[in-house]
Amino acid sequence: MKLLVVRAHPLGSDRSRTMQLADAFVAGFRQSHPDALVEDINLYAAAVPEIDLDLLTGWDAPKAGEPFVHLGPMQQAKLTLRELHDAVPELRPGRRWPTPCGTCRSPPG
């Protein structure tokens, strides 16, 4: 079983009852499901790139066989921001991802 917790609140548990409730839920879930995989992501602490035309067309280029080095500089820069990709496997598209060195690899399992 998997649980994805996405926190989209600027305050931490020390100042927010909503985050205290989220913490209590996650703690209770972990206690009742000790074998579950829990991914707890705070969007205010993660570098989440804006999904714009550069990013959308850049995602499609490797799928179409276009080399990473043929993408524009803005596309290359945006595609190398991998924090969201690394943090949230469920959001990874089923295509090849460029790496900062300019090669492509399949996304991990």
Side-chain angles (χ1 to χ4, degrees), residues 51-90:
I51 298 177
D52 60 6
L53 184 60
D54 286 331
L55 201 53
L56 289 173
T57 56
W59 276 336
D60 285 336
K63 179 180 173 185
E66 186 170 346
F68 181 77
V69 295
H70 289 176
L71 298 176
M74 288 301 293
Q75 286 178 312
Q76 289 184 17
K78 290 176 183 179
L79 286 170
T80 55
L81 290 175
R82 299 178 49 98
E83 288 82 3
L84 182 61
H85 171 264
D86 292 337
V88 188
E90 286 77 10

Side-chain angles (χ1 to χ4, degrees), residues 15-37:
R15 297 182 57 203
S16 168
R17 290 186 183 177
T18 302
M19 293 298 98
Q20 290 170 8
L21 182 61
D23 289 344
F25 174 81
V26 170
F29 182 86
R30 286 185 174 163
Q31 186 174 18
S32 59
H33 301 90
D35 295 330
L37 173 65

